């Protein structure tokens, strides 16, 4: 196995994930099979319990793994299906070592960071890198590994040491280190400063790793004298210093790397030029240029809880982007904080209330994504009611589907206190209830996670037609609460159609409202399987309906 390791310096949030994904795209375009691993140095076992405000969205995999959002980038860019083991965390590593220590596997030896933790990291990398993720048999040719955080972080030290040992054990021809760093411009002079990158590389070298390539992030293209200075002080050939400057959309990043012959430098380092071809990125070029040239747009109101950080809904945003491009449109997302729509907000913050309602009323369609907790729920119910009563295309995902059920129970059935037991345990009309599921992969977990099958109850519904008249669909889930099966009859009498159910028929997966341009709720998360060239059917239908093209 050959490894390309991507590290970051100076500051976090430089776009290491997109860089690592783009390197994978370019290598894949050279005819090589690529897999990827993300290392997160935090102590959490996985991303499942993390706040979306702090860490962005939790990305869910087919096997139910709750992982870092960068794995979503890998899946979208490389069009692969990863496993929970492709995300390594400090928590997972220490847990595995401590479990072995409790069993007595270390035969009474003192268990230490070196060699036991570092050996566990290396063993994990070597075993996971050979798992095929592209649907073909046998291991990939190259594994791209991204080390989260910034070089110098105390929590990433065991991983740096493990990667140093790995580079020594696999040999120079099988290990390529790519360091992503920042080139800031300070003051009115506008000079590109190399000192932060110099310090970052010096720290990396002090830890025993020398970068083979430097990827410099900057607002403007890198000047030649900046590149020469970096080469001199960082001991990296000028030809191996790549620049990712700000671009109109992230699909330009693989093209930027290709144009700077990044693949040549990596293939040279890994001694695998003989099995590679000239990179074919025609599809990416068309996609990037098409998006830049689009003139028509569609305004989408995103009504959620975590609207202060767009990364909280990264996959939803990407799925909207994929669907819009398929419809030759640019998405304009109006972020609407659900709590600003509530009556209480009109009294406390009238200006924010007016802005939120203005955004909602001016949008061509309304989307309510997933979430947990009761904050903003009343505002979401008002948004769902507005969409239903005014024939505005509506898409409710997970919580968004549950919101539409609560709204119809209250407004149409007249059950003023209808609610989810997540928000009100004492509700007399629990239309949404806690439905635990014993998971074979998560011991003790009560969340319904990963890919599950939804059976269409009729082929005459919008969603079945969007999924090409398939009798079923496999989509990814992440929830605890679901529509109460005891209320299905009354809700269907109120006009709702539950057109998709699980294999047992007990769990409601898709709802639709007939005689409405597009009113769809899905219990699963279709955004997790959306790809740039293969957008989610539900999202495509949503955008088509917003522009009056769905029937055609």
């Amino acid at each position: 196995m050959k490894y390309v390791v991507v590290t970051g310096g100076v500051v976090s949030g430089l776009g290491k994930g997109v860089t690592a994904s783009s390197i994978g795209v370019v290598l894949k375009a050279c005819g090589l099979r690529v897999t990827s691993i993300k290392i997160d140095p935090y102590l959490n076992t996985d991303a499942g319990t993390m706040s979306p405000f702090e860490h962005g969205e939790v990305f869910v995999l087919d096997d139910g793994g709750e992982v870092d959002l960068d794995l979503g980038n890998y899946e979208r860019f490389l069009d692969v299906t990863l496993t929970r083991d492709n995300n390594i965390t400090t928590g997972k590593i220490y847990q595995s070592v401590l479990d072995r220590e409790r069993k007595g596997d270390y035969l009474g030896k003192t268990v230490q960071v070196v060699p036991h933790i570092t050996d566990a990291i290396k063993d994990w990398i070597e075993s996971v890198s050979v798992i095929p993720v592209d649907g073909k048999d046998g291991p990939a040719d190259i594994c791209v590994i991204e080390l989260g955080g910034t070089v110098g972080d105390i929590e990433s030290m065991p991983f740096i040491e493990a990667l140093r040992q790995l580079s020594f054990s696999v040999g120079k021809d099988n290990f390529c280190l790519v360091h992503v760093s920042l080139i800031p411009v300070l003051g009115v002079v506008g000079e590109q400063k190399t000192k932060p990158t110099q310090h970052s590389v010096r720290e990396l070298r002090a830890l025993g790793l020398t970068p083979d390539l430097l990827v410099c992030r900057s607002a403007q293209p890198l000047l030649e004298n900046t590149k020469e200075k970096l080469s001199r002080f960082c001991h990296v050939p000028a030809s191996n210093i790549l620049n990712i400057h700000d671009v109109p959309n992230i699909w330009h990043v693989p093209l930027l790397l290709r144009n700077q012959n990044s693949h040549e430098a990596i293939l040279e380092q890994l001694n695998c030029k003989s099995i590679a071809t000239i990179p074919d990125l025609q599809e990416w070029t068309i996609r990037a240029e098409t998006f830049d040239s689009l003139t028509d747009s569609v305004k989408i109101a995103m009504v959620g809880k975590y609207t202060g950080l767009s990364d909280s809904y990264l996959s939803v945003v990407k799925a909207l982007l994929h669907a819009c491009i398929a419809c030759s449109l640019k998405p304009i997302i109006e972020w609407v904080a659900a709590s600003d729509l509530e009556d209480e907000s009109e009294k406390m913050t009238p200006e924010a209330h007016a802005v939120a309602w203005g955004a909602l009323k001016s949008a061509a369609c309304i989307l309510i994504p997933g979430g947990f907790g009761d904050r903003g729920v009343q505002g979401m119910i008002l948004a769902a009611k507005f969409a239903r009563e005014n024939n505005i295309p509506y898409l409710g995902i997970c919580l968004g589907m549950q919101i539409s059920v609560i709204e119809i129970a209250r407004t149409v059935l007249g059950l003023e206190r209808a609610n989810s037991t997540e928000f009100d345990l004492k509700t007399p009309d629990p239309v949404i209830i806690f439905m635990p599921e014993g998971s074979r992969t998560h011991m003790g977990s009560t969340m319904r996670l990963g890919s599950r099958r939804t059976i269409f109850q009729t082929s005459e519904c919008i969603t079945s037609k969007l999924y090409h008249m398939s009798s079923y669909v496999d989509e990814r889930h992440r929830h605890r609460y679901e529509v109460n099966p005891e209320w299905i009859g009354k809700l269907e009498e109120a006009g709702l159609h539950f057109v998709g159910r699980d294999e047992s028929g007990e769990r409601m997966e898709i709802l639709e409202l007939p005689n409405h341009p597009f009113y769809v709720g899905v219990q699963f998360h279709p955004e997790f399987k959306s790809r740039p060239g293969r957008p989610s059917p539900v999202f495509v239908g949503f955008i088509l309906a917003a522009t009056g093209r769905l029937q055609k």
Side-chain angles (χ1 to χ4, degrees):
M1 178 60 64
K2 295 180 183 291
Y3 299 96
V4 176
V5 176
V6 180
T7 58
V10 185
V11 293
S12 59
L14 278 177
K16 290 191 306 296
V18 173
T19 302
S21 304
S22 299
I23 287 170
V25 166
V26 177
L27 293 174
K28 189 177 176 184
C30 291
L32 300 170
R33 290 175 63 201
V34 180
T35 184
S36 60
I37 293 173
K38 171 70 190 293
I39 296 173
D40 283 305
Y42 49 67
L43 268 169
N44 304 60
T45 305
D46 59 32
T49 56
M50 289 183 161
S51 164
F53 281 122
E54 185 176 323
H55 200 71
E57 76 170 5
V58 176
F59 191 80
V60 179
L61 301 170
D62 266 6
D63 67 358
E66 296 176 284
V67 295
D68 185 84
L69 55 81
D70 279 318
L71 274 82
N73 278 327
Y74 303 154
E75 284 207 343
R76 283 187 289 269
F77 271 61
L78 298 172
D79 198 10
V80 293
T81 303
L82 301 174
T83 70
R84 68 177 75 241
D85 292 336
N86 289 82
N87 191 194
I88 303 175
T89 67
T90 299
K92 284 181 180 178
I93 294 295
Y94 273 77
Q95 194 170 49
S96 68
V97 170
L98 290 172
D99 285 347
R100 291 186 64 190
E101 183 270 336
R102 291 289 85 185
K103 289 177 192 171
D105 288 359
Y106 297 113
L107 304 175
K109 288 184 178 178
T110 304
V111 180
Q112 296 175 291
V113 173
V114 180
H116 300 103
I117 295 295
T118 51
D119 281 353
I121 294 166
K122 285 189 294 178
D123 291 345
W124 195 303
I125 288 171
E126 289 178 328
S127 62
V128 172
S129 62
V130 297
I131 298 171
V133 294
D134 56 3
K136 299 176 184 175
D137 294 330
D141 301 306
I142 293 176
C143 178
V144 179
I145 303 171
E146 179 197 346
L147 175 61
T150 308
V151 169
D153 292 347
I154 194 164
E155 62 261 35
S156 65
M157 289 303 180
F159 293 102
I160 293 276
E161 173 57 21
L163 291 168
R164 184 195 69 77
Q165 292 179 22
L166 183 69
S167 71
F168 182 73
S169 62
V170 301
K172 284 184 179 179
D173 286 353
N174 298 310
F175 193 91
C176 177
L177 181 62
V178 180
H179 189 59
V180 183
S181 188
L182 177 68
I183 304 293
V185 172
L186 301 178
V188 291
V189 181
E191 183 187 357
Q192 293 178 336
K193 297 291 183 182
T194 63
K195 193 65 74 178
T197 299
Q198 290 179 43
H199 283 303
S200 181
V201 171
R202 185 183 303 162
E203 184 147 20
L204 196 57
R205 288 164 66 88
L207 295 169
L209 286 170
T210 301
D212 300 300
L213 283 85
L214 268 183
V215 173
C216 300
R217 285 285 289 110
S218 59
Q220 300 297 325
L222 219 57
L223 300 171
E224 277 305 314
N225 64 329
T226 307
K227 196 178 277 192
E228 287 167 13
K229 196 173 180 182
L230 283 168
S231 178
R232 192 180 313 124
F233 287 104
C234 298
H235 301 272
V236 176
S239 59
N240 285 15
I241 296 176
L242 311 172
N243 177 215
I244 298 181
H245 53 79
D246 291 353
V247 286
N249 65 72
I250 60 169
W251 294 323
H252 282 284
V253 178
L255 307 178
L256 272 180
L257 292 175
R258 188 271 315 271
N259 294 344
Q260 295 173 73
N261 294 316
S262 62
H263 55 289
E264 297 268 346
I266 294 170
L267 295 171
E268 184 80 41
Q269 174 65 30
L270 296 176
N271 193 26
C272 57
K273 268 188 164 183
S274 59
I275 61 168
T277 59
I278 296 169
D280 176 14
L281 286 169
Q282 187 178 1
E283 188 184 332
W284 279 87
T285 307
I286 292 169
R287 189 178 297 125
E289 291 175 353
T290 298
F291 182 71
D292 291 344
S293 63
L294 290 175
T295 52
D296 294 336
S297 61
V298 59
K299 192 180 283 188
I300 305 147
M302 181 95 83
V303 183
K305 300 182 180 195
Y306 319 114
T307 52
L309 180 68
S310 61
D311 271 5
S312 302
Y313 300 115
L314 184 65
S315 290
V316 176
V317 171
K318 296 299 180 189
L320 286 170
L321 180 61
H322 302 160
C324 284
I325 287 187
C327 300
S328 300
L329 295 164
K330 274 197 174 182
I332 297 174
I333 297 175
E334 292 280 356
W335 296 96
V336 180
S339 51
D340 287 345
L341 296 170
E342 295 173 0
D343 296 339
E344 189 68 24
S345 170
E346 189 173 13
K347 300 171 192 169
M348 305 295 291
T349 53
E351 195 173 313
H353 180 267
V355 169
W357 273 103
L360 194 74
K361 289 177 179 178
S362 67
C365 52
I366 296 170
L367 190 154
I368 299 183
F372 296 91
D374 63 354
R375 186 174 58 81
V377 163
Q378 296 306 316
M380 292 180 191
I381 290 171
L382 289 170
K385 182 183 179 186
F386 180 77
R388 182 177 61 80
E389 292 181 343
N390 292 277
N391 285 331
I392 295 170
Y394 172 87
L395 176 59
I397 298 172
C398 196
L399 174 62
M401 170 180 169
Q402 297 168 13
I403 289 293
S404 59
V405 170
I406 296 169
E407 188 275 317
I408 282 173
R410 289 183 182 182
T411 312
V412 180
L413 292 176
L415 305 169
E416 291 182 9
R417 289 189 60 196
N419 214 331
S420 165
T421 53
E422 180 182 6
F423 315 132
D424 181 6
L425 274 172
K426 296 179 181 177
T427 174
D429 304 305
V431 289
I432 308 292
I433 58 168
F434 180 52
M435 289 180 68
E437 178 181 64
S439 171
R440 288 188 295 273
T441 53
H442 279 49
M443 296 304 291
S445 173
T446 52
M447 202 181 288
R448 185 165 160 85
L449 285 165
S451 184
R452 296 286 190 278
R453 180 153 292 183
T454 295
I455 310 293
F456 287 109
Q457 305 301 299
T458 171
S459 60
E460 288 305 306
C461 59
I462 288 174
T463 39
S464 172
K465 291 172 182 174
L466 288 171
Y467 280 103
H468 307 294
M469 303 295 283
S470 174
S471 59
Y472 67 88
V473 61
D474 295 323
E475 292 280 10
R476 297 176 185 176
H477 294 67
R478 184 177 185 253
H479 63 272
R480 289 190 181 91
Y481 292 82
E482 298 185 46
V483 182
N484 187 343
E486 293 177 10
W487 280 85
I488 301 306
K490 288 183 180 177
L491 289 165
E492 290 199 320
E493 283 174 20
L496 272 183
H497 284 195
F498 291 95
V499 299
R501 304 188 182 198
D502 79 331
E503 290 166 303
S504 71
E506 286 291 299
R507 298 175 188 271
M508 302 303 117
E509 295 282 3
I510 307 171
L511 66 78
E512 291 183 12
L513 198 61
N515 306 318
H516 190 286
F518 187 92
Y519 192 94
V520 174
V522 290
Q523 186 59 72
F524 48 77
H525 289 266
E527 68 270 23
F528 290 141
K529 281 191 164 184
S530 181
R531 301 285 183 267
R534 204 169 62 250
S536 164
V538 175
F539 279 85
V540 173
F542 179 56
I543 298 301
L544 286 173
T547 52
R549 292 187 280 165
L550 181 64
Q551 294 306 317
K552 183 179 174 183

